[in-house]
């Protein structure tokens, strides 16, 4: 009959640290997005990352202005907020990848 609990398919991809880094370094036009707060960003991030706080009031406006020709590699502390951000990016037609496990999963 009806499946009331059926969830929509994910429109972005979760990648573990190694796969995320490999895909990021091999893709053409990319951008690395740290979606943590500015304080978390200031305490340390992946080199080259841009800070766009997913919890800020301006996040939706900021992502609406992103280049649709790029692929976005998104991370936060644990992978939860970046999953939320990826969902919003994908809803706008942007290609997004979530770093499963967060910034600590980035290979050194």
């Amino acid at each position: 009959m009806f499946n009331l609990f059926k969830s929509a398919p994910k429109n972005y991809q979760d990648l573990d640290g190694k796969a995320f880094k490999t895909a990021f370094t091999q893709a053409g036009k990319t951008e690395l997005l740290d979606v943590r707060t500015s304080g978390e960003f200031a305490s340390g991030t992946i080199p080259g990352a841009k800070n766009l706080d997913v919890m800020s009031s301006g996040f939706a406006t900021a992502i609406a202005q992103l280049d649709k020709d790029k692929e976005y590699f998104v991370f936060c502390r644990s992978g939860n907020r970046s999953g939320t951000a990826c969902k919003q990016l994908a809803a706008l037609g942007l290609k997004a990848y979530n770093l499963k496990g967060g910034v600590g999963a980035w290979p050194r």
Side-chain angles (χ1 to χ4, degrees), residues 84-97:
T84 299
C86 283
K87 187 175 180 180
Q88 293 178 43
L89 290 165
L92 294 173
L94 300 166
K95 183 104 176 153
Y97 300 93

Side-chain angles (χ1 to χ4, degrees), residues 28-44:
K29 289 179 70 176
T30 62
E31 191 153 350
L32 193 56
L33 298 179
D34 182 338
V35 295
R36 300 176 299 162
T37 65
S38 59
E40 291 173 303
F41 181 76
S43 70

